[in-house]
Amino acid sequence: MNSDVSTIARRVRDQADALPDLFGRFDFDKAPERWAPEIDAVSELSRVRSIDRATYLDDPDLLARIREYTMLGDRTGDAYAALMPRLGFHQTVAMLVEACDKGIEAVADAPPELAALIGEMERTPEWLDMALVEEGAAYERNATANLSPFLIRGAFIATFLNKYSALPMALTGTLGHATAARRVKETATFFATTALPGALARFGAGFKAAAMVRLMHSMVRVNVLSRPGMWDAETYGMPIPQLDQMPAGLIPVYFLSQEVLAKGRTSFTRLERARVELARYRCYLLGLPEDLLADTPQEIVRIWRTRSATLRYEYDDQVCGGLLRATMDAELSKDMSPKGQVKRRLEHSVSRVFFVKAFLAGDEERAASVGVPVRRRDHLIYGATMLGIAGRMAAYRVASRLPVVRHLADRRLVRRIERQLDGYGRAEFTSNAANYKPATAS
C-alpha cells in the first residue's frame, strides 16, 4: 500500500529532529539540484531514446513521493551509526554482528538504537510469503552460480554513470583499485549469500549481510555529513538516499517486468512472482520504503522509470570516469592457476560487453569515451562464454524439473556458490572514514 505523501514528508523531516547534528542543516522543503521534474531537464531517462520521458511526469502523487524519498536516508540505521564516536568503529560493528548471530538480548548493554534496527528488520511485512522467497532463491541459484560472476562488475559500474548518484562512492575512496575490488566483491557476496537456502530467515546469513550493508550505508552518511565541506546537500540532497538503493536491489525484476509487458502480459507467473518476492524482501531488509517495492510488472516499471525521469543527469569524468576505470581495472580474483587466469580473462571481456549492451544501449563510442572500451575480441569472448553459460544453465533448469535429480542439482549449485563466496573472501561491509577523500564534481 502506498504511503500518504504527508506521512512520508513527516518521516523525512523528522530526520532533523532525531539527528540534528547530521541533518539539522538540511532544508527538506527545498528540492536539491539533482531533483529534475522539469519537462526539458536532462535526466537519466532522457538518455533512453525508446522511452517517452514525459509519460512519467504526469502522476503528481508518485512524483511527490519520489521527491520526498530523494531526501530520505535510513532513519534507524543512521541513528545506530551515529553512535560511532561514542562506541568506536569496531564496537559498533561487533555489537551488530552479535545481535544478528545471537539476538539483541545477547548483546550486553545494547543501545536502544541497535534494538530498534534489529526490531525493524525482524518485523514481518504483511505481504511477505517466505515460501515464495525460498522458491525465488532456488531459481536464482542457477544464475548466481553460473552467470553472476561474469556480470557483477558490469552491473556494478552502471551506478557510476551519473555524478548525482555516484559521488558518495567516490568520496569513500573507491577511486582506488583495491577499494573498488572490495566493493564489487561485497556486492557479489551480498547477492550470492541471499540466494542460499534459508539465508533470509531471521538467523540466516542473508539477514546478517543485509544488516551489515545497512550499517555500511549509514556509516557513509554519518561520515560524509560529519566532516565540514565534504558534502554539498543543496546539490546532491541526501547521501545514498533510499531511492538510489532501489536500482541495485530491483534491477533483475525490472528487466523481468519489461519482458513480461513486452509479451503483452500484465501479471507474473508463480515462478516470476517468486523472483520478485525474493528481490522485494532483500530490499525490505535493506530498509527501502515498502511503497517503492511494487509487486506488479506495470508498477515496477512505472516507479523505476519515474525515478530515472526525475534524477538529473550529468557525467563528470573526475567522479564517474574515475570510478568506472578503477572498477574495470580492479583485480577481483587471486586465483593464479591456469583455470583461474582463463576465467579472469573471460570475465573481463564479458563484463564490459554486458555493461555496454545493458546500460549504454550498445553505444560503444560512448563506452570508449567513459573509459570502458570494447574490442572485437571482447565480443567474440562474450559470445562464446555466454553460449557456454546458457547451455549449463539450461541443463540445470531441466534438472530442476526432475524428481530426485533436482535436489542433487540444487546441492551442486549451493556448493558452487559457497566456493564463490570463499573466493571473494570475507566481506567487511564497513566504511572507514580514514579512507575518505574529497572528490568534488565539476
Side-chain angles (χ1 to χ4, degrees), residues 43-53 305 359 361:
S43 74
E44 285 200 341
L45 199 66
S46 302
R47 300 179 299 119
V48 185
R49 299 186 184 92
S50 60
I51 299 175
D52 181 6
R53 175 174 174 264
R305 290 182 178 175
F359 302 104

Side-chain angles (χ1 to χ4, degrees), residues 133-430:
V133 170
E134 288 298 327
E135 286 182 36
Y139 179 88
E140 290 292 330
R141 285 196 280 276
N142 192 350
T144 301
N146 296 307
L147 182 61
S148 294
F150 293 93
L151 304 187
I152 188 66
R153 188 200 304 252
F156 188 74
I157 63 176
T159 62
F160 299 154
L161 287 172
N162 188 352
K163 78 170 188 178
Y164 289 101
S165 53
L167 187 60
M169 289 294 287
L171 292 175
T172 60
T174 310
L175 292 173
H177 293 177
T179 308
R182 182 161 65 89
R183 290 300 183 220
V184 175
K185 290 179 182 179
E186 287 177 343
T187 301
T189 294
F190 172 72
F191 285 102
T193 299
T194 53
L196 292 172
L200 294 178
R202 166 58 186 90
F203 291 98
F207 182 99
K208 178 179 177 179
M212 297 303 292
V213 170
R214 285 184 74 163
L215 178 59
M216 176 179 67
H217 290 154
S218 289
M219 282 179 168
V220 171
R221 287 189 207 94
V222 169
N223 287 329
V224 300
L225 294 176
S226 298
R227 298 176 65 174
M230 179 67 74
W231 187 255
D232 180 357
E234 291 187 3
T235 300
Y236 299 100
M238 178 67 62
I240 320 180
Q242 296 290 23
L243 199 64
D244 284 0
Q245 296 182 64
M246 183 178 70
L250 295 182
I251 190 170
V253 299
Y254 172 67
F255 286 150
L256 171 63
S257 298
Q258 288 190 121
E259 293 172 7
V260 168
L261 295 175
K263 293 176 181 177
R265 292 161 45 206
T266 58
S267 61
F268 294 118
T269 65
R270 180 177 176 86
L271 183 55
E272 290 167 346
R273 282 182 55 230
R275 296 170 61 188
V276 170
E277 196 80 351
L278 170 65
R280 294 175 74 212
Y281 192 46
R282 275 173 174 159
C283 289
Y284 173 83
L285 290 176
L286 290 174
L288 269 71
E290 291 182 62
D291 61 345
L292 292 179
L293 306 179
D295 61 355
T296 67
Q298 301 95 318
E299 278 297 286
I300 290 171
V301 168
R302 189 171 72 99
I303 293 174
W304 178 292
R305 290 182 178 175
T306 304
R307 180 256 180 194
S308 297
T310 53
L311 175 58
R312 197 176 304 280
Y313 174 80
E314 184 177 332
Y315 182 85
D316 180 275
D317 190 66
Q318 182 178 348
V319 173
C320 305
L323 286 167
L324 286 169
R325 290 185 287 272
T327 305
M328 290 309 300
D329 293 341
E331 189 58 73
L332 301 183
S333 173
K334 295 181 180 180
D335 185 354
M336 299 307 295
S337 68
K339 182 178 179 181
Q341 294 187 53
V342 169
K343 185 176 180 180
R344 187 160 56 246
R345 181 66 189 89
L346 298 180
E347 183 274 331
H348 188 266
S349 292
V350 171
S351 62
R352 285 173 176 262
V353 177
F354 169 72
F355 166 70
V356 176
K357 285 178 175 289
F359 302 104
L360 295 183
D363 189 341
E364 293 185 15
E365 184 175 335
R366 180 161 180 252
S369 72
V370 301
V372 189
V374 176
R375 300 174 177 83
R376 184 171 181 271
R377 67 179 180 180
D378 293 320
H379 282 286
L380 294 174
I381 291 173
Y382 175 86
T385 304
M386 294 300 284
L387 185 63
I389 291 173
R392 188 182 309 124
M393 290 180 65
Y396 275 107
R397 280 195 295 272
V398 171
S400 71
R401 294 191 286 268
L402 301 175
V404 182
V405 176
R406 68 170 178 264
H407 299 295
L408 297 174
D410 188 59
R411 283 202 292 270
R412 185 168 181 178
L413 288 174
V414 169
R415 286 196 297 270
R416 286 174 64 91
I417 294 171
E418 290 172 342
R419 286 197 297 270
Q420 283 178 21
L421 292 171
D422 288 340
Y424 292 143
R426 181 177 174 272
E428 297 179 6
F429 295 121
T430 57

